[in-house]
Amino acid sequence: MVSDVHGNARDLARAGEGADALICLGDLVLFLDYADHSRGIFPDLFGVENADRIVELRTARRFEEARELGKRLWGEIGADRGSVIEKAVRKQYAEMFAAFPTPTYATYGNVDMPPLWPEYAGPGTTVLDGERAEIGGWTFGFVGGGLRTPMRTPYEISDEEYAAKIEAVGEVDVLCTHIPPEVPELVYDTVARRFERGSRALLAAIRRTRPRYSLFGHVHQPLARRMRIGATECVNVGHFAGSGKPWALEW
């Protein structure tokens, strides 16, 4: 089980060793590494100094200034933003999907570009979003993406759309999502020093349907990596990009 791979194809290629299946909860793309500002699409295009600056602004929650800096930098290179980013993302996806073992079950993260996935997901990779799969006799539900934020990442959706996907999954043994339930200890990032967005609909579903596990990523350095909500064990299985180590679920 991995989440928030963010370009770590080397460790991803070994993540499924000894397992019956690999589950990936999204964020394959590395746009900007907050731990190492020299890595990712942004510094490749605009340099490390600008990456330092935009991380500083975002960490201070000065999102409007960060957007203005981004607009200025894109204007200076004079290229179509969408096509440049898509080309870079495609290069990363080619590496990431080639590293997936068979079988892999995957859903999207908030920085992923879902329309591109069908081009790269081979026959051994099953992509699910608002859907269920039977794995080893247990029922797994998958809900991808994130909720809307000032960061405006590619796959952010409305609370209503997200809640509908949670509802579509229904009662499962393991509820797999990219973002965590809306619990302060699970959504606070101790390095970014901010509360990320969690889902109230997910929290309500955990309390109502009582899955054995709720597994998620998104928050890279959470205040709490795991906690129980009623009968459910909630576990943050990221941040794979930094650790390079999968989380193992055995039953």
Side-chain angles (χ1 to χ4, degrees), residues 123-148:
T125 298
T126 303
V127 180
L128 305 109
D129 189 14
E131 299 164 284
R132 300 149 59 105
E134 297 296 322
I135 307 173
W138 280 15
T139 304
F140 287 68
F142 294 82
V143 175
L147 298 174
R148 289 178 180 150

PDB file of all heavy atoms in Angstrom, residues 123-148:
ATOM      1  N   PRO A 123      -2.690  -3.780 -18.561  1.00  0.00           N
ATOM      2  CA  PRO A 123      -3.711  -4.747 -18.169  1.00  0.00           C
ATOM      3  C   PRO A 123      -3.597  -5.215 -16.728  1.00  0.00           C
ATOM      4  O   PRO A 123      -4.572  -5.708 -16.167  1.00  0.00           O
ATOM      5  CB  PRO A 123      -3.485  -5.911 -19.157  1.00  0.00           C
ATOM      6  CG  PRO A 123      -2.101  -5.718 -19.683  1.00  0.00           C
ATOM      7  CD  PRO A 123      -1.848  -4.252 -19.678  1.00  0.00           C
ATOM      8  N   GLY A 124      -2.423  -5.059 -16.117  1.00  0.00           N
ATOM      9  CA  GLY A 124      -2.260  -5.475 -14.723  1.00  0.00           C
ATOM     10  C   GLY A 124      -2.646  -4.429 -13.717  1.00  0.00           C
ATOM     11  O   GLY A 124      -2.604  -4.665 -12.502  1.00  0.00           O
ATOM     12  N   THR A 125      -3.047  -3.225 -14.179  1.00  0.00           N
ATOM     13  CA  THR A 125      -3.406  -2.119 -13.286  1.00  0.00           C
ATOM     14  C   THR A 125      -4.890  -1.805 -13.416  1.00  0.00           C
ATOM     15  O   THR A 125      -5.374  -1.507 -14.506  1.00  0.00           O
ATOM     16  CB  THR A 125      -2.581  -0.864 -13.617  1.00  0.00           C
ATOM     17  OG1 THR A 125      -1.193  -1.138 -13.424  1.00  0.00           O
ATOM     18  CG2 THR A 125      -2.979   0.299 -12.717  1.00  0.00           C
ATOM     19  N   THR A 126      -5.604  -1.866 -12.303  1.00  0.00           N
ATOM     20  CA  THR A 126      -7.029  -1.544 -12.265  1.00  0.00           C
ATOM     21  C   THR A 126      -7.197  -0.184 -11.607  1.00  0.00           C
ATOM     22  O   THR A 126      -6.787   0.018 -10.465  1.00  0.00           O
ATOM     23  CB  THR A 126      -7.820  -2.596 -11.468  1.00  0.00           C
ATOM     24  OG1 THR A 126      -7.603  -3.893 -12.041  1.00  0.00           O
ATOM     25  CG2 THR A 126      -9.305  -2.277 -11.476  1.00  0.00           C
ATOM     26  N   VAL A 127      -7.786   0.760 -12.339  1.00  0.00           N
ATOM     27  CA  VAL A 127      -8.012   2.111 -11.833  1.00  0.00           C
ATOM     28  C   VAL A 127      -9.453   2.228 -11.370  1.00  0.00           C
ATOM     29  O   VAL A 127     -10.380   1.902 -12.121  1.00  0.00           O
ATOM     30  CB  VAL A 127      -7.709   3.167 -12.915  1.00  0.00           C
ATOM     31  CG1 VAL A 127      -7.960   4.579 -12.371  1.00  0.00           C
ATOM     32  CG2 VAL A 127      -6.261   3.039 -13.399  1.00  0.00           C
ATOM     33  N   LEU A 128      -9.648   2.678 -10.125  1.00  0.00           N
ATOM     34  CA  LEU A 128     -10.992   2.757  -9.552  1.00  0.00           C
ATOM     35  C   LEU A 128     -11.191   4.115  -8.887  1.00  0.00           C
ATOM     36  O   LEU A 128     -10.278   4.648  -8.250  1.00  0.00           O
ATOM     37  CB  LEU A 128     -11.214   1.654  -8.514  1.00  0.00           C
ATOM     38  CG  LEU A 128     -10.974   0.218  -8.977  1.00  0.00           C
ATOM     39  CD1 LEU A 128      -9.714  -0.333  -8.333  1.00  0.00           C
ATOM     40  CD2 LEU A 128     -12.157  -0.671  -8.630  1.00  0.00           C
ATOM     41  N   ASP A 129     -12.408   4.649  -9.013  1.00  0.00           N
ATOM     42  CA  ASP A 129     -12.760   5.921  -8.384  1.00  0.00           C
ATOM     43  C   ASP A 129     -14.263   5.925  -8.139  1.00  0.00           C
ATOM     44  O   ASP A 129     -15.052   5.953  -9.069  1.00  0.00           O
ATOM     45  CB  ASP A 129     -12.352   7.082  -9.297  1.00  0.00           C
ATOM     46  CG  ASP A 129     -12.476   8.444  -8.620  1.00  0.00           C
ATOM     47  OD1 ASP A 129     -12.609   8.488  -7.384  1.00  0.00           O
ATOM     48  OD2 ASP A 129     -12.425   9.468  -9.331  1.00  0.00           O
ATOM     49  N   GLY A 130     -14.651   5.847  -6.864  1.00  0.00           N
ATOM     50  CA  GLY A 130     -16.059   5.665  -6.536  1.00  0.00           C
ATOM     51  C   GLY A 130     -16.521   4.255  -6.845  1.00  0.00           C
ATOM     52  O   GLY A 130     -17.700   4.016  -7.107  1.00  0.00           O
ATOM     53  N   GLU A 131     -15.576   3.295  -6.770  1.00  0.00           N
ATOM     54  CA  GLU A 131     -15.857   1.899  -7.145  1.00  0.00           C
ATOM     55  C   GLU A 131     -15.256   0.943  -6.132  1.00  0.00           C
ATOM     56  O   GLU A 131     -14.445   1.326  -5.291  1.00  0.00           O
ATOM     57  CB  GLU A 131     -15.270   1.620  -8.535  1.00  0.00           C
ATOM     58  CG  GLU A 131     -15.845   2.496  -9.633  1.00  0.00           C
ATOM     59  CD  GLU A 131     -14.998   2.476 -10.892  1.00  0.00           C
ATOM     60  OE1 GLU A 131     -13.934   3.118 -10.900  1.00  0.00           O
ATOM     61  OE2 GLU A 131     -15.401   1.794 -11.856  1.00  0.00           O
ATOM     62  N   ARG A 132     -15.644  -0.345  -6.275  1.00  0.00           N
ATOM     63  CA  ARG A 132     -15.207  -1.386  -5.339  1.00  0.00           C
ATOM     64  C   ARG A 132     -14.454  -2.485  -6.071  1.00  0.00           C
ATOM     65  O   ARG A 132     -14.620  -2.669  -7.273  1.00  0.00           O
ATOM     66  CB  ARG A 132     -16.432  -2.008  -4.644  1.00  0.00           C
ATOM     67  CG  ARG A 132     -17.270  -1.043  -3.840  1.00  0.00           C
ATOM     68  CD  ARG A 132     -18.742  -1.433  -3.814  1.00  0.00           C
ATOM     69  NE  ARG A 132     -19.023  -2.737  -3.268  1.00  0.00           N
ATOM     70  CZ  ARG A 132     -19.554  -2.960  -2.058  1.00  0.00           C
ATOM     71  NH1 ARG A 132     -19.865  -1.933  -1.285  1.00  0.00           N
ATOM     72  NH2 ARG A 132     -19.793  -4.167  -1.649  1.00  0.00           N
ATOM     73  N   ALA A 133     -13.650  -3.218  -5.300  1.00  0.00           N
ATOM     74  CA  ALA A 133     -12.951  -4.385  -5.844  1.00  0.00           C
ATOM     75  C   ALA A 133     -12.820  -5.426  -4.748  1.00  0.00           C
ATOM     76  O   ALA A 133     -12.661  -5.090  -3.568  1.00  0.00           O
ATOM     77  CB  ALA A 133     -11.569  -3.993  -6.366  1.00  0.00           C
ATOM     78  N   GLU A 134     -12.885  -6.692  -5.140  1.00  0.00           N
ATOM     79  CA  GLU A 134     -12.670  -7.795  -4.206  1.00  0.00           C
ATOM     80  C   GLU A 134     -11.203  -8.202  -4.285  1.00  0.00           C
ATOM     81  O   GLU A 134     -10.703  -8.550  -5.354  1.00  0.00           O
ATOM     82  CB  GLU A 134     -13.564  -8.980  -4.556  1.00  0.00           C
ATOM     83  CG  GLU A 134     -15.056  -8.701  -4.444  1.00  0.00           C
ATOM     84  CD  GLU A 134     -15.496  -8.394  -3.023  1.00  0.00           C
ATOM     85  OE1 GLU A 134     -14.963  -9.038  -2.093  1.00  0.00           O
ATOM     86  OE2 GLU A 134     -16.355  -7.506  -2.848  1.00  0.00           O
ATOM     87  N   ILE A 135     -10.521  -8.147  -3.150  1.00  0.00           N
ATOM     88  CA  ILE A 135      -9.105  -8.515  -3.082  1.00  0.00           C
ATOM     89  C   ILE A 135      -8.920  -9.472  -1.906  1.00  0.00           C
ATOM     90  O   ILE A 135      -9.152  -9.096  -0.755  1.00  0.00           O
ATOM     91  CB  ILE A 135      -8.196  -7.279  -2.899  1.00  0.00           C
ATOM     92  CG1 ILE A 135      -8.478  -6.219  -3.978  1.00  0.00           C
ATOM     93  CG2 ILE A 135      -6.726  -7.683  -2.918  1.00  0.00           C
ATOM     94  CD1 ILE A 135      -7.735  -4.910  -3.756  1.00  0.00           C
ATOM     95  N   GLY A 136      -8.553 -10.703  -2.196  1.00  0.00           N
ATOM     96  CA  GLY A 136      -8.300 -11.669  -1.129  1.00  0.00           C
ATOM     97  C   GLY A 136      -9.483 -11.937  -0.231  1.00  0.00           C
ATOM     98  O   GLY A 136      -9.305 -12.206   0.965  1.00  0.00           O
ATOM     99  N   GLY A 137     -10.675 -11.845  -0.777  1.00  0.00           N
ATOM    100  CA  GLY A 137     -11.874 -12.125   0.007  1.00  0.00           C
ATOM    101  C   GLY A 137     -12.431 -10.934   0.760  1.00  0.00           C
ATOM    102  O   GLY A 137     -13.491 -11.037   1.383  1.00  0.00           O
ATOM    103  N   TRP A 138     -11.747  -9.796   0.732  1.00  0.00           N
ATOM    104  CA  TRP A 138     -12.252  -8.567   1.347  1.00  0.00           C
ATOM    105  C   TRP A 138     -12.709  -7.599   0.259  1.00  0.00           C
ATOM    106  O   TRP A 138     -12.199  -7.633  -0.863  1.00  0.00           O
ATOM    107  CB  TRP A 138     -11.166  -7.888   2.182  1.00  0.00           C
ATOM    108  CG  TRP A 138     -10.961  -8.490   3.546  1.00  0.00           C
ATOM    109  CD1 TRP A 138     -11.415  -9.686   3.993  1.00  0.00           C
ATOM    110  CD2 TRP A 138     -10.230  -7.907   4.624  1.00  0.00           C
ATOM    111  NE1 TRP A 138     -11.005  -9.910   5.290  1.00  0.00           N
ATOM    112  CE2 TRP A 138     -10.282  -8.816   5.708  1.00  0.00           C
ATOM    113  CE3 TRP A 138      -9.528  -6.717   4.786  1.00  0.00           C
ATOM    114  CZ2 TRP A 138      -9.667  -8.572   6.927  1.00  0.00           C
ATOM    115  CZ3 TRP A 138      -8.907  -6.465   6.008  1.00  0.00           C
ATOM    116  CH2 TRP A 138      -8.981  -7.380   7.069  1.00  0.00           C
ATOM    117  N   THR A 139     -13.660  -6.736   0.627  1.00  0.00           N
ATOM    118  CA  THR A 139     -14.147  -5.714  -0.294  1.00  0.00           C
ATOM    119  C   THR A 139     -13.440  -4.391  -0.013  1.00  0.00           C
ATOM    120  O   THR A 139     -13.451  -3.898   1.111  1.00  0.00           O
ATOM    121  CB  THR A 139     -15.666  -5.528  -0.164  1.00  0.00           C
ATOM    122  OG1 THR A 139     -16.320  -6.784  -0.380  1.00  0.00           O
ATOM    123  CG2 THR A 139     -16.177  -4.518  -1.177  1.00  0.00           C
ATOM    124  N   PHE A 140     -12.829  -3.852  -1.055  1.00  0.00           N
ATOM    125  CA  PHE A 140     -12.125  -2.575  -0.966  1.00  0.00           C
ATOM    126  C   PHE A 140     -12.892  -1.527  -1.763  1.00  0.00           C
ATOM    127  O   PHE A 140     -13.298  -1.775  -2.903  1.00  0.00           O
ATOM    128  CB  PHE A 140     -10.707  -2.691  -1.534  1.00  0.00           C
ATOM    129  CG  PHE A 140      -9.743  -3.458  -0.677  1.00  0.00           C
ATOM    130  CD1 PHE A 140      -9.898  -4.831  -0.480  1.00  0.00           C
ATOM    131  CD2 PHE A 140      -8.675  -2.818  -0.064  1.00  0.00           C
ATOM    132  CE1 PHE A 140      -9.003  -5.542   0.310  1.00  0.00           C
ATOM    133  CE2 PHE A 140      -7.776  -3.518   0.724  1.00  0.00           C
ATOM    134  CZ  PHE A 140      -7.938  -4.883   0.917  1.00  0.00           C
ATOM    135  N   GLY A 141     -13.075  -0.357  -1.182  1.00  0.00           N
ATOM    136  CA  GLY A 141     -13.682   0.765  -1.884  1.00  0.00           C
ATOM    137  C   GLY A 141     -12.641   1.839  -2.153  1.00  0.00           C
ATOM    138  O   GLY A 141     -11.767   2.084  -1.314  1.00  0.00           O
ATOM    139  N   PHE A 142     -12.728   2.482  -3.316  1.00  0.00           N
ATOM    140  CA  PHE A 142     -11.726   3.468  -3.730  1.00  0.00           C
ATOM    141  C   PHE A 142     -12.392   4.791  -4.103  1.00  0.00           C
ATOM    142  O   PHE A 142     -13.334   4.809  -4.897  1.00  0.00           O
ATOM    143  CB  PHE A 142     -10.944   2.954  -4.939  1.00  0.00           C
ATOM    144  CG  PHE A 142     -10.090   1.757  -4.653  1.00  0.00           C
ATOM    145  CD1 PHE A 142     -10.634   0.470  -4.645  1.00  0.00           C
ATOM    146  CD2 PHE A 142      -8.737   1.891  -4.374  1.00  0.00           C
ATOM    147  CE1 PHE A 142      -9.856  -0.650  -4.378  1.00  0.00           C
ATOM    148  CE2 PHE A 142      -7.942   0.786  -4.109  1.00  0.00           C
ATOM    149  CZ  PHE A 142      -8.498  -0.482  -4.108  1.00  0.00           C
ATOM    150  N   VAL A 143     -11.874   5.861  -3.526  1.00  0.00           N
ATOM    151  CA  VAL A 143     -12.343   7.206  -3.863  1.00  0.00           C
ATOM    152  C   VAL A 143     -11.124   8.104  -4.040  1.00  0.00           C
ATOM    153  O   VAL A 143     -10.337   8.293  -3.105  1.00  0.00           O
ATOM    154  CB  VAL A 143     -13.269   7.779  -2.778  1.00  0.00           C
ATOM    155  CG1 VAL A 143     -13.639   9.221  -3.103  1.00  0.00           C
ATOM    156  CG2 VAL A 143     -14.533   6.928  -2.650  1.00  0.00           C
ATOM    157  N   GLY A 144     -10.967   8.641  -5.245  1.00  0.00           N
ATOM    158  CA  GLY A 144      -9.791   9.443  -5.554  1.00  0.00           C
ATOM    159  C   GLY A 144     -10.052  10.930  -5.512  1.00  0.00           C
ATOM    160  O   GLY A 144     -11.180  11.399  -5.359  1.00  0.00           O
ATOM    161  N   GLY A 145      -8.963  11.684  -5.664  1.00  0.00           N
ATOM    162  CA  GLY A 145      -9.046  13.136  -5.751  1.00  0.00           C
ATOM    163  C   GLY A 145      -9.044  13.823  -4.402  1.00  0.00           C
ATOM    164  O   GLY A 145      -8.984  13.192  -3.348  1.00  0.00           O
ATOM    165  N   GLY A 146      -9.093  15.146  -4.456  1.00  0.00           N
ATOM    166  CA  GLY A 146      -9.127  15.965  -3.252  1.00  0.00           C
ATOM    167  C   GLY A 146     -10.243  16.988  -3.344  1.00  0.00           C
ATOM    168  O   GLY A 146     -10.891  17.139  -4.387  1.00  0.00           O
ATOM    169  N   LEU A 147     -10.451  17.699  -2.253  1.00  0.00           N
ATOM    170  CA  LEU A 147     -11.459  18.750  -2.214  1.00  0.00           C
ATOM    171  C   LEU A 147     -10.826  20.094  -2.573  1.00  0.00           C
ATOM    172  O   LEU A 147      -9.613  20.264  -2.513  1.00  0.00           O
ATOM    173  CB  LEU A 147     -12.100  18.804  -0.827  1.00  0.00           C
ATOM    174  CG  LEU A 147     -12.839  17.534  -0.410  1.00  0.00           C
ATOM    175  CD1 LEU A 147     -13.316  17.638   1.032  1.00  0.00           C
ATOM    176  CD2 LEU A 147     -14.019  17.261  -1.341  1.00  0.00           C
ATOM    177  N   ARG A 148     -11.654  21.042  -2.941  1.00  0.00           N
ATOM    178  CA  ARG A 148     -11.148  22.321  -3.445  1.00  0.00           C
ATOM    179  C   ARG A 148     -10.414  23.120  -2.367  1.00  0.00           C
ATOM    180  O   ARG A 148     -10.847  23.186  -1.214  1.00  0.00           O
ATOM    181  CB  ARG A 148     -12.303  23.133  -4.036  1.00  0.00           C
ATOM    182  CG  ARG A 148     -12.788  22.517  -5.337  1.00  0.00           C
ATOM    183  CD  ARG A 148     -13.949  23.252  -5.944  1.00  0.00           C
ATOM    184  NE  ARG A 148     -14.344  22.572  -7.191  1.00  0.00           N
ATOM    185  CZ  ARG A 148     -15.571  22.557  -7.657  1.00  0.00           C
ATOM    186  NH1 ARG A 148     -16.533  23.185  -7.012  1.00  0.00           N
ATOM    187  NH2 ARG A 148     -15.854  21.923  -8.786  1.00  0.00           N
TER     188      ARG A 148
END
